[in-house]
Amino acid sequence: NRIESSNRLYIGDANAQLYRQNFNFKLDVAGQHDCDITANSSGGDGGNINLRTIEGGRVKITGTGGVGIYHTDTALKVETTGTGATVFGTLETQQLNVSGVSTFQGNISVPDDTYLYFGDDNEFSISHVASVNTIQSSSIHGIKFLTKKLIINNESDNETFAEFFQNREASLYYDNSKKFSTSGAGATVFGTLDTEQLDVSGVTTSVGGFVGD
């Protein structure tokens, strides 16, 4: 039977209505009542529910409990799983709040003039603003590096600025040439030491003598 555009199909004391309005098909459920759409109510893995448009976008509710959101009929973009949800492609959001552990596979890109903040009061930040890369801490506790070896090189990774080793020397370089290095006995200067004042306590051994003004 055909229901004309101006007519409605009332179900159950007029709590539910099926009708067409301004070329739109509507299902209204009055009051604080649920509207359940059930497929394969007898059980099993089959009986999917598909909500689709003629252009191909659809929502698929599977008989096993998963939900998929498709951009086209075959382009799956969001899928729920037993542990959460999976996004296929790029997720764009104005704000993302994550509780728990986050695992990233691939690169993480942060645009220019954007900060990464850490701590409840944004006490620590990493930024790339006006082509300047900055690591900043406003905490009274500063920044702590925990490592057995720390090497600071140039961007091409072919010149060393400084080296720090656990239970070994700490060295400073100039133009990739070591100029200062600590040791168990003290420190060694490679080359010429220029100083306005030199206070020495203990024995001083000179090779080649001293030159003073």
Side-chain angles (χ1 to χ4, degrees), residues 82-149:
T83 57
T86 302
V87 176
F88 301 91
T90 302
L91 174 64
E92 295 183 3
T93 176
Q94 294 180 343
Q95 184 171 340
L96 180 64
N97 295 324
V98 180
S99 176
V101 177
S102 299
T103 302
F104 298 91
Q105 296 179 350
N107 297 325
I108 300 175
S109 298
V110 179
D112 291 343
D113 301 328
T114 303
Y115 291 78
L116 289 177
Y117 289 107
F118 302 84
D120 294 337
D121 298 322
N122 298 334
E123 298 166 334
F124 180 73
S125 66
I126 301 175
S127 64
H128 177 79
V129 178
S131 299
V132 178
N133 302 309
T134 303
I135 299 176
Q136 183 175 356
S137 173
S138 61
S139 170
I140 60 174
H141 302 289
I143 301 175
K144 180 187 290 186
F145 294 91
L146 302 178
T147 180
K148 293 183 178 180
K149 179 173 67 174

Side-chain angles (χ1 to χ4, degrees), residues 141-159:
H141 302 289
I143 301 175
K144 180 187 290 186
F145 294 91
L146 302 178
T147 180
K148 293 183 178 180
K149 179 173 67 174
L150 176 62
I151 299 177
I152 303 176
N153 288 351
N154 66 342
E155 62 172 333
S156 299
D157 199 22
N158 56 17
E159 286 193 18

Side-chain angles (χ1 to χ4, degrees), residues 4 16 55 77 131 135 166 197:
E4 301 297 333
E55 299 297 332
K77 297 302 179 182
S131 299
I135 299 176
Q166 178 177 310
Q197 183 174 338

Side-chain angles (χ1 to χ4, degrees), residues 2-212:
R2 179 186 295 273
I3 301 176
E4 301 297 333
S5 298
S6 58
N7 297 327
R8 301 189 180 201
L9 174 63
Y10 295 95
I11 305 172
D13 297 330
N15 286 329
Q17 305 177 39
L18 282 173
Y19 62 98
R20 181 185 179 192
Q21 184 180 68
N22 298 328
F23 302 101
N24 297 318
F25 179 77
K26 292 191 175 184
L27 169 61
D28 286 348
V29 178
Q32 298 180 358
H33 302 287
D34 297 332
C35 179
D36 293 337
I37 302 175
T38 304
N40 194 11
S41 59
S42 60
D45 295 337
N48 299 327
I49 296 176
N50 287 285
L51 306 176
R52 71 173 75 231
T53 67
I54 194 172
E55 299 297 332
R58 66 186 172 107
V59 176
K60 178 181 179 181
I61 304 173
T62 68
T64 56
V67 177
I69 300 177
Y70 293 74
H71 181 67
T72 63
D73 194 62
T74 58
L76 178 62
K77 297 302 179 182
V78 179
E79 181 180 38
T80 62
T81 65
T83 57
T86 302
V87 176
F88 301 91
T90 302
L91 174 64
E92 295 183 3
T93 176
Q94 294 180 343
Q95 184 171 340
L96 180 64
N97 295 324
V98 180
S99 176
V101 177
S102 299
T103 302
F104 298 91
Q105 296 179 350
N107 297 325
I108 300 175
S109 298
V110 179
D112 291 343
D113 301 328
T114 303
Y115 291 78
L116 289 177
Y117 289 107
F118 302 84
D120 294 337
D121 298 322
N122 298 334
E123 298 166 334
F124 180 73
S125 66
I126 301 175
S127 64
H128 177 79
V129 178
S131 299
V132 178
N133 302 309
T134 303
I135 299 176
Q136 183 175 356
S137 173
S138 61
S139 170
I140 60 174
H141 302 289
I143 301 175
K144 180 187 290 186
F145 294 91
L146 302 178
T147 180
K148 293 183 178 180
K149 179 173 67 174
L150 176 62
I151 299 177
I152 303 176
N153 288 351
N154 66 342
E155 62 172 333
S156 299
D157 199 22
N158 56 17
E159 286 193 18
T160 300
F161 298 152
E163 293 179 324
F164 305 90
F165 299 93
Q166 178 177 310
N167 300 325
R168 285 177 47 195
E169 74 276 9
S171 301
L172 301 178
Y173 289 72
Y174 176 85
D175 195 18
N176 210 35
S177 177
K178 183 184 295 187
K179 297 301 180 182
F180 181 88
S181 182
T182 62
S183 66
T188 301
V189 175
F190 301 91
T192 302
L193 174 63
D194 293 326
T195 176
E196 294 180 352
Q197 183 174 338
L198 180 62
D199 295 328
V200 180
S201 176
V203 178
T204 302
T205 303
S206 174
V207 179
F210 292 96
V211 177

